[in-house]
């Protein structure tokens, strides 16, 4: 009877690579989205500041929310990277 290690089939050697790739993608894409949101809302604030300068402070909320998206991506990347464990191969 041959003992087969099912853990080596369930967790290949490339699993940590794809885990860290997912963490990097989460952080980079969230920050790209935050930058895009900040740019779009910044142009809107500057355009609105010409016509209605009294509403400029209320229009800063989308800029703050876009920054929160970037922080959320960082938190998710840290959570993903702390859950990654290297596969253990025993003979």
């Amino acid at each position: 009877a041959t003992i087969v290690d099912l853990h080596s089939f369930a967790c290949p050697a490339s699993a940590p690579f794809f885990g860290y790739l997912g963490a990097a993608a989460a952080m980079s894409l969230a920050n790209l989205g935050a930058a895009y949101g900040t740019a779009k809302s910044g142009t809107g604030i500057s355009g609105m500041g010409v016509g209605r300068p009294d509403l400029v402070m209320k229009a800063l909320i989308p800029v703050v929310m876009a920054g929160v998206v970037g922080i959320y991506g960082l938190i998710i990347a840290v959570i993903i990277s702390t859950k990654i464990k290297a596969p253990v191969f025993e003979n």
Side-chain angles (χ1 to χ4, degrees):
T2 304
I3 298 174
V4 178
D5 184 18
L6 294 178
H7 181 71
S8 63
F9 293 119
C11 184
S14 62
F17 169 74
F18 289 112
Y20 286 118
L21 183 69
M27 190 166 55
S28 61
L29 291 175
N31 286 321
L32 279 173
Y36 182 76
T38 302
K40 294 299 270 186
S41 61
T43 56
I45 289 171
S46 63
M48 189 185 65
V50 174
R52 299 280 308 268
D54 54 328
L55 294 178
V56 170
M57 292 308 288
K58 286 185 182 179
L60 289 177
I61 294 172
V63 175
V64 173
M65 296 310 260
V68 169
V69 168
I71 294 170
Y72 178 71
L74 176 66
I75 292 169
I76 294 300
V78 168
I79 290 172
I80 291 173
S81 66
T82 57
K83 300 285 183 183
I84 297 173
K85 295 183 176 121
V88 178
F89 299 112
E90 297 175 2
N91 291 329

